[in-house]
Amino acid sequence: MFYLVIDILGTIAFAISGVLVALDKKLDPFGVFIVAFVTAVGGGTLRDLLLGNTPVTWLLQPIYLYTILITVVLAIIFRKQLKYLRTSLFMFDTIGIGLYTLAGVEKGLDANLIPVMCVVIGTITACFGGVIRDILCNEIPVIFRKEVYATACIIGAASYFLLLKLPIKPTYIQVICILVVITVRLLAVKFKIALPTIYHSVAIDETKE
Amino acid sequence: MFYLVIDILGTIAFAISGVLVALDKKLDPFGVFIVAFVTAVGGGTLRDLLLGNTPVTWLLQPIYLYTILITVVLAIIFRKQLKYLRTSLFMFDTIGIGLYTLAGVEKGLDANLIPVMCVVIGTITACFGGVIRDILCNEIPVIFRKEVYATACIIGAASYFLLLKLPIKPTYIQVICILVVITVRLLAVKFKIALPTIYHSVAIDETKE
Amino acid sequence: MFYLVIDILGTIAFAISGVLVALDKKLDPFGVFIVAFVTAVGGGTLRDLLLGNTPVTWLLQPIYLYTILITVVLAIIFRKQLKYLRTSLFMFDTIGIGLYTLAGVEKGLDANLIPVMCVVIGTITACFGGVIRDILCNEIPVIFRKEVYATACIIGAASYFLLLKLPIKPTYIQVICILVVITVRLLAVKFKIALPTIYHSVAIDETKE
């Protein structure tokens, strides 16, 4: 129950972030819905496809579809008020990537992947909804440019496997994993930490045949 | 046999729509073929992947590959004449989305999905070839902006499940489903109905942290 | 062992080509890594998904992840020197597509596909990493515009099936298939052969309803 509530809150936050990007691109309501849907379920869908868990999760659990549908309708109606919810949305989103990371890690374990691949799957689950959103909206994915988003997921997922070696209850490990993701992201945003862009002197047309 | 003919006509129409977009982007013949191929089979491929029906359909039924290959060669040769075929192409395309919607709905039923997810799968089958075409050509997908394309598919697929509750023969239900998709699209184009773009006052950079 | 060495060299070359495109787009180190990773494993991943070989190969064989990680770190550190390695990189890349084509053809045979579909799968394996790289970087895929890349793969894969009809040892057929891909590409680059762009007089907005 606790999980479901957080999961739905994460889905709502991701869907809203999709609505905001889609509105900015002047899409019609159907386009807004698709972008919101893909943002919310895209990472989990890619995870399920890579692992071979089909039919993918959201086809079997209609609550995601309904949640996103209601979220999109409300977000469109109250689009002017959304800007006053910046902090709440950011917190939902941050909690969301924490939970999505954990969910991905555990799906990876279910598929008998080695720890490093579980970390990869956890990060994909949390981050690739946003990547697909940006591709659909014809943007270079934002997480490739200025977010520590993925770094937070990687550190959180790695902490899961470090903790597994200690005598700690599974439930505590899960909670700590989520909290690490959240903490890293909050600290990064607070102190404006971002990975630097790499200066490059290699023009692409010089190095290609 | 009847189905196969319509299915091939739909494939041809979708492939030609891919050729037209690809030519507009000045792609080479290989690029034109890939874009045409993806437009024609992309929706069905995404459906098969999401459901876990692998190898995907077109790998097992080479008629789609050959049909698209011949279509692309002819469409390139007769590209100047294509503009005189506007109405025919539009009709093929419209019949095509009707049939693709039905095919998707029935694949969803085969996978024991609930009706609402069958509607989703039917719409994906009919619409996502065009979405992938536009992504490959570096455009925001056209159906997110000004088509009632998807709406026609959703209404047609939904009518399938409404009719299932009535004492009607399955074959009639299938035909009606296709006709509903076609009718909605024809009416929408005739009366220039499109979903409105949503006015938004929320600048994206204001609402993101 | 021989295969593994060539496969790793191909992975390195593809990863470097991803790094170069990503640096050109001023991505952060995480973005550079993702683009390099997708370039190197994207074609094989799409192949595995279409065939239903899941979990996909790179999730089960961590050597690809580690190879790409080390390659990206070194490529970023020595980015200024990369331009002196143009010829070596081009050779790795060309050997890489030869091997990837062969690997795809044989995976297609394992899945009992007919020869023409094995050719398609081989070409997808070799070419679609670059396609996904370009989509992530918001470019129209370069192979759609000016490379004979795909043509070399198609000819090499087709030669595999022609040779199967002759009394030749399987190992020789494999080697010849790879050599055909390499030779076609080298000749095409040497003589600046590329598929021509098709002149088109059909404006897209004229032909769409």
Side-chain angles (χ1 to χ4, degrees), chain A residues 184-205:
Chain A
V184 172
R185 191 168 185 219
L186 291 181
L187 288 176
V189 169
K190 184 165 176 59
F191 296 107
K192 298 192 187 305
I193 299 165
L195 296 179
T197 302
I198 301 157
Y199 172 78
H200 77 107
S201 60
V202 188
I204 195 71
D205 52 355

Side-chain angles (χ1 to χ4, degrees), chain A residues 49-50 52 114 116-117 135 138 140-141 143-145 150 195-202 204 206-207 209, chain C residues 20-21 23-24 26-30 34 49 54-56 58-59 62 66 76 79-80 86 90 136 138 185:
Chain A
L49 292 179
L50 293 174
I114 60 172
V116 67
M117 290 304 169
I135 292 173
N138 205 9
I140 294 182
I143 68 159
F144 294 177
R145 288 177 289 138
L195 296 179
T197 302
I198 301 157
Y199 172 78
H200 77 107
S201 60
V202 188
I204 195 71
E206 284 181 353
T207 49
E209 69 296 333
Chain C
L20 294 173
V21 174
L23 288 177
D24 199 55
K26 305 197 192 310
L27 302 188
D28 70 22
F30 176 74
I34 294 294
L49 292 179
T54 52
V56 299
W58 59 265
L59 280 174
Y66 297 137
I76 289 176
R79 60 192 178 276
K80 288 179 187 170
R86 281 172 59 177
F90 173 66
L136 283 179
N138 205 7
R185 188 167 187 220

Side-chain angles (χ1 to χ4, degrees), chain B residues 121-135:
Chain B
I121 286 292
T123 306
I124 287 175
T125 305
C127 297
F128 270 71
V131 171
I132 305 174
R133 173 198 66 206
D134 293 340
I135 292 173

Side-chain angles (χ1 to χ4, degrees), chain C residues 77-124:
Chain C
I77 294 173
F78 297 108
R79 60 192 178 276
K80 288 179 187 170
Q81 282 72 43
L82 276 177
K83 57 184 162 187
Y84 303 117
L85 294 174
R86 281 172 59 177
T87 310
S88 308
L89 286 177
F90 173 66
M91 278 312 299
F92 284 173
D93 186 53
T94 302
I95 295 169
I97 63 164
L99 188 98
Y100 277 37
T101 301
L102 176 64
V105 165
E106 300 200 325
K107 292 259 188 180
L109 284 173
D110 289 347
N112 295 315
L113 298 185
I114 61 172
V116 68
M117 289 304 169
C118 295
V119 172
V120 170
I121 286 291
T123 306
I124 286 174

Side-chain angles (χ1 to χ4, degrees), chain C residues 120-134:
Chain C
V120 170
I121 286 291
T123 306
I124 286 174
T125 306
C127 298
F128 270 71
V131 171
I132 305 173
R133 172 198 66 207
D134 293 340

Side-chain angles (χ1 to χ4, degrees), chain A residues 11 14-23 27-41 58 62-76 133 136-137, chain B residues 116-117 119-120 123-124 128 143-144 150 154 195 198:
Chain A
T11 301
F14 281 161
I16 292 176
S17 97
V19 169
L20 293 174
V21 175
L23 287 178
L27 302 188
D28 70 22
F30 177 74
V32 172
F33 171 72
I34 294 294
V35 172
F37 188 78
V38 162
T39 307
V41 306
W58 60 265
I63 189 163
Y64 295 104
L65 180 70
Y66 297 137
T67 300
I68 297 166
L69 206 51
I70 294 169
T71 302
V72 170
V73 171
L74 293 177
I76 289 176
R133 173 198 66 207
L136 284 179
C137 290
Chain B
V116 67
M117 289 304 169
V119 172
V120 170
T123 306
I124 287 175
F128 270 71
I143 67 159
F144 294 177
I154 293 168
L195 296 178
I198 301 157

Side-chain angles (χ1 to χ4, degrees), chain C residues 9-28:
Chain C
L9 288 178
T11 301
I12 292 171
F14 281 160
I16 291 176
S17 98
V19 169
L20 294 173
V21 174
L23 288 177
D24 199 55
K25 291 284 176 176
K26 305 197 192 310
L27 302 188
D28 70 22

